[in-house]
Amino acid sequence: MVSPSSRRLWVLVVVLVELPGVLQKCIFDEVQTQARVVRAAPTDPISPPNVHPLNTNPPRRRSSVTHRRSLRNMAPPTPASPQPIRIRTWSPAESHNLSEAEKERMEAAVEEAVRKVSSLLSVIRVAGPLLLSRDVNKYCKFLWRNSSTANYNRCGRANKSYRSETCLDVTIPDDHLAGCDISPEAESPLRTELRPEGAGLPDTDFLLYLLLQATDRCRAEPSVLAYAVHCQTDADGRPVAGVVVLCRDRLTGATYSHQATVQTVIHELLHALGFSKDLFHTWTDCSSKSQGSAVCSPRGKVTHSDGSGQMRIYTPSVISALQRLLGSADPELGGALENLDVLLGKASSHWEARVLQGSIMAAVLDDPPAVRIDPVTLAALQDTGWYTVDMSRAQSLVWGEGEGSMFGSLSTCQNKSSSFFCTGSGSGCHYLHLHKGECQTDRYLEGCRVYKPLKNGSECWKEENGGEEDWSGEMFGFHSRCFFSNLTRQNQSEVPSSGSSEEGRCYRHRCRGPDRYQVQVSGSEWVDCPAGDTIKIKGYLGSVHCPDGRLCRYDDITPPSNDVTTFPASATSDPYEAVPSAQDWSWPPLRPPAELTAASALCLTAAVCVLSAAVVCYRKCCSCRVRIHAASEHHTDL
Ligand SMILES: *[C@@H]1O[C@H](CO)[C@@H](O)[C@H](O)[C@H]1NC(C)=O
Ligand SMILES: *[C@@H]1O[C@H](CO)[C@@H](O)[C@H](O)[C@H]1NC(C)=O
Ligand SMILES: *[C@@H]1O[C@H](CO)[C@@H](O)[C@H](O)[C@H]1NC(C)=O
Ligand SMILES: *[C@@H]1O[C@H](CO)[C@@H](O)[C@H](O)[C@H]1NC(C)=O
Ligand SMILES: *[C@@H]1O[C@H](CO)[C@@H](O)[C@H](O)[C@H]1NC(C)=O
Ligand SMILES: *[C@@H]1O[C@H](CO)[C@@H](O)[C@H](O)[C@H]1NC(C)=O
Ligand SMILES: *[C@@H]1O[C@H](CO)[C@@H](O)[C@H](O)[C@H]1NC(C)=O
Ligand SMILES: [Zn+2]
C-alpha cells in the first residue's frame, strides 16, 4: 500500500534582491508562501532503471516507494554508502542566447557553488537515471476512487489540455519525466499511454534547472537578482529538483562580484536542499541507521519557541554545534531562527542574525570574506537526515565563539559585555579584523550594534586603500588587519583633530603561533602584540590593542585572493582553497585542505556539459514583495 503522500511536488520560490551598496535580502519565505504545493498521484510511475520506454507499453507501474524498496533490496552485497551529491544543471533553450561574457560569469559562479555544495553533502545516490514524476493533478481528469476496484487510484481520464510539466518558468523536458497512462475502465488491465517514459538523467541526485534571463519578475522589480523554486522531492522527502532564475541584468554590472554570486547561489541551493521552513517538518532522524536499522524515522516538528519567544531548531547536531560554538552546555540552545518579518510562532528559513552573524544562512550576507559556511548550518543539513555532511569542511564562524548561551540576546547585546557588539557609533574593527568598521545596526540586529565594514575602502587587505597621510602609521595590504588604535606619529605637526581618539586602523601583522602575532606600523619594526594586551610603538604616541582570539587562530580567515574580477577561470578565489600565506609559521591546520574528490569532479563535469551550472538559488527570490532598503549597509540579504 502506498501512502498518497509518498511523492510530493513542492514549489519554493526564492528571490535574491540586490541594490547597489544596499541590503540585499533573501525573501525566500515570502515567495514560498505564494508557491503552490502539488501532490502527485499515489501510483505515480517510475520505470525501473535502464528500461527503455519502448518496452513499457503499457508501462509497468510501480509506486516510487515500492520501486525504491526494491532497489534497496536488490542492492549489491555491500550496502550503498553515501557519496558526494551529484548536482546536475540543465539550461532550457530560452537561456541560450546569452553573451559569452554573461554565460561565463554565470557558469563560473554556479559551477563553483555546485562544486562546493557537492563537497559538503553526500547522499545515497539515485540508482539509475533520475526521473521526475508528473503531476497527476495536471494530466488526469479523474482517478478511480473505489478502493475495491482493480484500478483504484489510477487515472481514469486524461486531461485533454495537459501539455507538459513546468517548474517555475521552466518547461521540464519530457525526457526528464516519467511516463503516464490512463486506465479507461475501472476493472480492466487495459492501459492507454498518455506520455512515454523519459530517459531520465544519468548520474544525477539533484537536478537544477538554470535560467538566465530577463523575466517579468526580474523586470518588475529592479532589486531582484535571482529567484528559485524547489520542485520535487523523492519518497524520503529529499528534494530532487529545483529551478533557479538569474536575472541577466544583474550579471552585467561593473560591480559584479564573483564571490558574492557564488555565495548567493550556495545560499539558495541550501534552501532548496532542505534548509527551508517548509521542509523542517519533513526532516528525518537517521541516527538509528548506524546501529543497523534500515529506516529513518520522521523527526516531526523540530522548531519550537524558547522561553523568550525566539524560534529555534531543536535537533541534536544543531544543538551540539551551537553549544560548541558558544561554549555552553545549555540544552535550550537550539538554532535560533530569524524572527523579523515572521509571524509570531512561525519559523523562518534563516538563522537569527544576532546569534549567527556571518553564516551563509543568515538573512543578510556580509562582504564575501565574512560569509561563512559554518558548523551550525552544516549541522542542520546533517539533521535533515537526507545528507551525510562533511563537517570537517565547515568554516570557522568566529562570531560568538565562547560567548555563552545568552550571546546575541536583545537583553545583553548592549551591555558592552561582549567584544562582538558595540555601542554608540564610533569607528572600530569588524570582528574578523579584515575590515575597519563603524558601529551600526540594521533591522535584523534589532538595536544591537556591530562594527560593519564601511562602504568604501575599509578592507585592510587591499593595498589600494592606503592613502597619503601616515600620521597614524596605517599600512594596507594582504597581510594587514584591523586594530583598535590611537597611535599618532611623534613630531607630527598636523594631527587631525580625530587623531587621538581610538578607532579602527590597518596595520600589518604576522603570525607566530595560534593567537600569537606581531604587528608593524608604518616605519616601525615588527613588535610582539600579546593577545589581549595594549602595546606602544616606538616613534608613536598612543597605543594599539592586540585582539584576543581573533588573529592567527583560524587558518580559514583570509582575505579573498581575487574578487570583483570578472571571469575567474579557476578556483583561485575559492575561500576553501585559499592558502593562508600570511603565515610564515606552521601548526597543524584546523582542517584538511579541500581537495576535489573524484566524485565532485564528476559533478563538475556533469555541470559543465549541461551548459550552465546548476543554481538552485534558493534565495528568497521574490518577484512580489521586494523590500527596498534605504539604508546603506554593505552586505547581501538572501
Ligand atoms: C535574446 O533573445 C531575445 C528575444 O528572444 C532578444 O530580444 C535578445 O536580443 C537576445 N539576446 C541576445 C544576446 O542575443
Ligand atoms: C466499488 O466496486 C465494487 C466492485 O466493483 C462494487 O461492488 C461497489 O458497489 C463499488 N462501490 C461504489 C461505492 O461504487
Ligand atoms: C488540465 O490541464 C490544464 C493545463 O495544464 C490545467 O490548466 C487544468 O487545470 C487541468 N484540468 C484538470 C481538470 O485537471
Ligand atoms: C544588560 O543590561 C540590561 C539592562 O540594560 C539588564 O537588564 C541585564 O541584566 C544586563 N545583562 C547583563 C548580563 O549584564
Ligand atoms: C568611494 O571611493 C571612490 C573612489 O575612491 C569614490 O569615487 C566614491 O565617491 C566613494 N564613495 C563613497 C560613498 O564615499
Ligand atoms: C622627531 O623628533 C625627534 C626629536 O625631537 C627626532 O630625533 C626625530 O628624528 C623626529 N622624527 C621625525 C620622523 O621627524
Ligand atoms: C590613547 O588612548 C588612551 C586611552 O585609550 C589614552 O589614555 C591616551 O592618552 C591616548 N593617546 C593619545 C596619543 O591620544
Ligand atoms: Zn534565504
Side-chain angles (χ1 to χ4, degrees), residues 146-149 187:
N146 184 335
S147 57
S148 357
T149 59
E187 298 288 4

Side-chain angles (χ1 to χ4, degrees), residues 448-464:
C448 297
R449 304 178 81 84
V450 301
Y451 289 109
K452 294 185 169 229
L454 314 166
K455 251 177 109 177
N456 241 14
S458 65
E459 304 95 339
C460 288
W461 42 272
K462 267 193 190 166
E463 197 127 23
E464 57 268 34

Side-chain angles (χ1 to χ4, degrees), residues 33-77:
T33 50
Q34 305 174 346
R36 71 210 157 84
V37 176
V38 194
R39 255 156 219 236
T43 53
D44 212 13
I46 279 195
S47 73
N50 304 321
V51 173
H52 193 274
L54 284 180
N55 301 336
T56 57
N57 196 6
R60 281 153 59 203
R61 293 324 177 91
R62 291 192 193 192
S63 81
S64 55
V65 168
T66 322
H67 175 59
R68 298 194 134 247
R69 291 219 177 105
S70 63
L71 283 179
R72 278 175 194 159
N73 295 342
M74 297 182 316

